[in-house]
Amino acid sequence: MSSLAVSGMARPHRWLRAHPVVADSLLAVAVFAIVLIGSFAGRDRGTQPPEAGFLVLSALACAALAARRAAPRTVLGVTSALTLAEIATHRAGPPRTQIAMAVVVALYTVASRTERPAAWRFSLTTVAGLTGAVMVLGAPPWYSPENLGLFAWTALAGAVGDAVRSRRAYVAAIEERAVRAERTREEEARRRVAEERLRIARELHDVVAHHIALVNVQAGVASHIMDSRPDQAKEALAHVREASRSALSELRATVGLLRQYGDPEAPTEPAPGLGVLDHLVDGFARAGLDVRVTGGAEAVAAVGTLPAAVDLAAYRVVQEALTNVHKHAGPGARAEITLTRGPDALSVTVLDDGTGCPPGGGPGGHGLLGMRERVAALGGECVAAPREGGAPGFCVRATLPLRGRP
């Protein structure tokens, strides 16, 4: 069947669904036609043609079906009453139970649009009432095929209506779960995008803030001593060049995180970690900051191999803390780095004895916030506060679990 033919058949169906009263009126006409055909077909078995009373009652019962969706229970009561009236008033021969087709349609409507307990009550009442009436008031024997047929048709209408209601409820539940799952997937995707953007923002902040601070200091030194001590100015400019090269390299690696999997230009070098802590310390020492690692290289070696995420987070914490010391602790400040590895966690502490404003005290700073978020993402804790006991300076202490986030 062509798509045009299918589309042509679908249009009347959609129109009838949009106009339920018209659809029910057409159904009422069809049921009345079936009742007439059944009553006249009985003449082949020797029965009399339908009387005027039967035709009137049948017409009224079928006409009530036009309101079956608006008032299903009322329509069921009207059709059942008219059917009982035909059964009770029929005198010539057995009652014409073809009128019960209107009851069948009405009972199906009630069962398909009512909760199961109420649907079963209506079905049992209707089936028992009509079947009992025709068996008592109809022509003997009580077990005639017409009586059993009435029982079968009404019971089948209630059962089919209940099955349709259950099917509709099942389909509605499936659709609701699908909508909820789609909404959950969209929210999860938005959350992951936000987390990834925040992580990249932290990486960019750590790289740019550290290296630009060093470049700024070395450029200021070179400008200050350019005329009086040109050799030292050249050395400072060399440090600027080296810091700029390092910044470009780390920025390239960070931006490479945005590349798709399999991109040949994606970075392959490892992320920085405590293994290159000496290079970080040397950079700050060249910028004029006195930095000491408790235990020196032995302390870094004693830490041993760390999970990649913990290693990177520890390096970034030290980098951000030293950058803040250099920017805010004031001239002549000294910093001390302490690394302690326990059975379950790595502790990183950076102390300074500066007298300037605390780290992050300037407007718009995100260093401490990014540091705390980075540590919290691994399930650890990060504390940044003035030193205890009233001693001058600031303390940054991060505890990073080695077994992942609980």
Side-chain angles (χ1 to χ4, degrees):
M1 184 179 294
S2 65
S3 59
L4 292 177
V6 173
S7 176
M9 295 173 60
R11 280 195 295 268
H13 178 69
R14 288 195 298 266
W15 188 88
L16 289 176
R17 293 190 63 179
H19 300 79
V21 176
V22 177
D24 290 341
S25 300
L26 294 177
L27 176 63
V29 173
V31 173
F32 184 62
I34 293 175
V35 171
L36 291 180
I37 293 174
S39 60
F40 279 100
R43 297 183 62 185
D44 296 338
R45 298 191 298 270
T47 60
Q48 299 296 323
E51 302 86 357
F54 169 78
L55 296 178
V56 171
L57 293 176
S58 299
L60 292 176
C62 294
L65 295 178
R68 69 185 186 97
R69 302 192 204 190
R73 299 183 181 183
T74 301
V75 171
L76 176 61
V78 170
T79 54
S80 299
L82 293 174
T83 302
L84 289 175
E86 162 61 23
I87 294 174
T89 59
H90 189 78
R91 291 293 179 262
R96 300 184 183 275
T97 56
Q98 294 87 353
I99 190 177
M101 286 300 301
V103 178
V104 170
V105 176
L107 181 58
Y108 162 81
T109 304
V110 170
S112 63
R113 294 174 175 269
T114 310
E115 294 297 327
R116 174 164 291 175
W120 279 106
R121 287 197 300 270
F122 280 105
S123 299
L124 291 177
T125 302
T126 302
V127 172
L130 292 183
T131 306
V134 76
M135 287 181 177
V136 172
L137 301 176
W142 63 268
Y143 53 84
S144 63
E146 289 79 5
N147 298 346
L148 297 179
L150 177 62
F151 170 81
W153 277 102
T154 51
L156 181 63
V160 172
D162 181 71
V164 170
R165 182 202 54 79
S166 299
R167 176 65 179 175
R168 289 173 180 169
Y170 174 77
V171 172
I174 292 295
E175 293 177 350
E176 182 182 0
R177 284 197 294 268
V179 171
R180 190 184 306 117
E182 183 66 25
R183 188 183 304 115
T184 303
R185 282 194 296 269
E186 293 176 356
E187 293 174 355
E188 178 68 13
R190 285 194 295 268
R191 185 187 65 82
R192 290 181 179 273
V193 169
E195 290 182 352
E196 184 66 14
R197 292 174 62 182
L198 182 60
R199 185 179 68 85
I200 294 174
R202 284 197 299 263
E203 292 290 339
L204 290 175
H205 174 272
D206 293 342
V207 172
V208 172
H210 163 61
H211 290 290
I212 296 303
L214 296 182
V215 168
N216 181 52
V217 171
Q218 294 291 351
V221 170
S223 176
H224 183 68
I225 63 175
M226 179 66 70
D227 296 330
S228 59
R229 288 173 288 177
D231 293 339
Q232 294 184 11
K234 290 182 180 179
E235 184 179 353
L237 291 176
H239 292 162
V240 169
R241 182 179 181 183
E242 182 179 351
S244 301
R245 184 184 300 111
S246 298
L248 289 174
S249 178
E250 291 199 35
L251 282 174
R252 186 181 300 111
T254 303
V255 174
L257 296 174
L258 301 175
R259 298 186 181 276
Q260 295 181 355
Y261 176 79
D263 194 323
E265 298 183 8
T268 57
E269 64 272 11
L274 295 180
V276 294
L277 183 61
D278 54 342
H279 298 296
L280 180 66
V281 172
D282 290 342
F284 280 102
R286 289 193 296 268
L289 179 62
D290 184 9
V291 183
R292 182 167 62 93
V293 180
T294 302
E298 294 80 6
V300 178
V303 171
T305 304
L306 297 171
V310 175
D311 197 16
L312 175 60
Y315 177 86
R316 293 302 189 197
V317 167
V318 174
Q319 183 186 54
E320 180 61 29
L322 292 180
T323 300
N324 286 334
V325 172
H326 183 265
K327 292 169 59 178
H328 302 290
R334 293 175 298 176
E336 180 180 352
I337 304 171
T338 303
L339 304 174
T340 305
R341 177 168 182 169
D344 299 320
L346 171 68
S347 177
V348 180
T349 304
V350 180
L351 299 173
D352 71 83
D353 58 359
T355 57
C357 63
H366 299 283
L368 293 181
L369 178 61
M371 185 191 306
R372 293 190 181 98
E373 290 175 345
R374 183 186 295 277
V375 174
L378 298 177
E381 297 181 355
C382 180
V383 178
R387 296 179 64 171
E388 299 177 353
F394 210 76
C395 172
V396 175
R397 180 176 293 108
T399 303
L400 301 166
L402 301 178
R403 297 182 180 178
R405 182 171 184 172

